[in-house]
Amino acid sequence: MTRVLELRNLTKDFEGRGRTVRALDGINLRLSRGEFVCVVGASGSGKSTLLSMIAGLMTATGGEITLDGEPVTGPGPDRGLVPQAGTLYPWRTVERNVAFGLELLPLDTAERAQRVDWYLAETGLSDLRKSLPRQLSGGQQQRVAIARALACEPDVLLLDEPLGALDVQTKEDMQVFIRQVWQDTGATVLMVTHDVEEAVFLGERVVVLASEPGRVIAEVPVELPDDRELGIKRVSAFLALRARIEDLIRAERRTAVDDATEQSA
Amino acid sequence: MAIPLLAWIGLSASGAISESFLPSPQAVWSAGLEMARSGDLLRDLSATAQRVLLGFGLAVLVSVPLGIVMGSFRAGAALFEPVIGLLRYLPASAFIPLLIIWLGLGEPSKVALLFVGTVFFNTLMTADVVRIVPRSLLDVSYTLGASRGEVLRKVVVPHSLPGIIDAIRVNAAAAFNFVVVAELVNSTEGLGYRIVRAQRFLQTDRIFAVLIVIGLAGVTLDVALRLLRSRVGRWAA
Ligand SMILES: Nc1ncnc2c1ncn2[C@@H]1O[C@H](COP(=O)(O)OP(=O)(O)OP(=O)(O)O)[C@@H](O)[C@H]1O
Ligand SMILES: [Mg+2]
């Protein structure tokens, strides 16, 4: 398979008040075309920083990001970003939110309208096309954000805890929805979450991050059937995978706590 | 609204205060009617309105783009903010003598006073409105392929528009203050001029009538801007 996105030894330091915080330390990651990769990690493990750098909104301190072999130097529609919440244009209707990126491309009106229609239908938003964001539920708003990013047909779709703000029921519906969209569009997806169950359900591969500094401690392939329904979350293979990843995170946290007590002793 | 009106009617009917201090509502009404019939009132009103439109209009034309630049670019803020932050504390009325020396007694100095009196506040208020556009909204726009100019035009401006109209509404009230002040000094028409003239002949009824006209004109402008604001800002409601 062709590599789309490649991170080589990616490092990020934040300077602040005389001290430097290393948010990410030597991250290596490869995504092939059409893959769905989930990154899990505790709060502060650098998940958002990672996506911001891939999106081109932040420069790396060290290492390299390439997309189809070309180094990433800034933001662009070849990498679609869906942030955690609340980034729709409140004055634009649903359809005009989805059209935003397309308005910036050299497309004729008919083609633009056609693409908007297609992504609205795919994301189940056709009936809401004339609504304003404030008239939508949280789940619907995230669907619009996903449709808006997808409409530019990016090489990689970057999702930053897109379901973090939703209730359990809506969240599960949205998980099914995201997998469906992925299968229909063949998009390459890199999704960040702190929810291990979600990562296993959605991903073909789960990358586990540890904190302070943020680094990859494991890459776990998800060997589950491609046709996944919510019921799979109770299947033993799923539960075993989930437990294994949770243990990795827990073990990592324990050594971190031990180190801290040792240092203070 | 009703209470001061009733108090006025009661007070003047009681005869406790002399007509030349507090004219009766009937006297004010007929004074107003008389001025309207002679054509003075319309001429004065249109002279005042023109000054507001010109002076405040220019201030808006300058301050809105300037405020957007100041709010969007750190360099813009560094360049203009200190100067404007200082200038806005200088009372505009104190500029009158200077403006007269520079621009003469005619129209330009009056328009300039309105401009000076409103341009700085409107710039700073616009910049503040622009600064509250969420960072995440700008970031996501860049990832959708927008250039800096496109982000300014398609994100910053529409997001800020309701707030900018609010700022204009606040400063329109100031513009009304300044136009009357400007007209108190050497003019031949305008609502402020009409007041000075009436004062010379102790025509308090006329002064009252003109004050009411100024109030109504201000309210009309305010209502118009409110309507515009609620049309433009429907998404924010
Ligand atoms: N702009 C910044 N300036 C300074 N430090 C930052 C900045 N952004 C992030 N950090 C630091 O980098 C580390 C990683 O932050 P990041 O937001 O990437 O974590 P995260 O994994 O996304 O957390 P969460 O799950 O809470 O969203 C944290 O220690 C954070 O304090
Ligand atoms: Mg985050």
Side-chain angles (χ1 to χ4, degrees), chain A residues 47-48 84 160-161:
Chain A
K47 304 184 297 293
S48 296
Q84 188 153 353
D160 189 357
E161 301 195 42

Side-chain angles (χ1 to χ4, degrees), chain A residues 45 83 87 96 103 138 143 152 179 182 186 201 220 232 236 247:
Chain A
S45 55
T87 56
R96 296 201 57 235
E103 290 170 11
R143 278 173 196 247
C152 295
R179 250 195 97 81
W182 170 64
F201 179 73
V220 183
I232 203 173
S236 64
D247 285 345

Side-chain angles (χ1 to χ4, degrees), chain A residues 14-16 21-24 41-50 58 84 160-161 192-194 209 212:
Chain A
F14 285 111
E15 318 274 347
V21 178
R22 176 147 292 191
L24 289 173
S43 186
S45 55
K47 304 184 297 293
S48 296
T49 306
L50 184 70
M58 241 182 223
Q84 188 153 353
D160 189 357
E161 301 195 42
V192 143
T193 175
H194 55 248
L209 289 189
E212 293 180 8

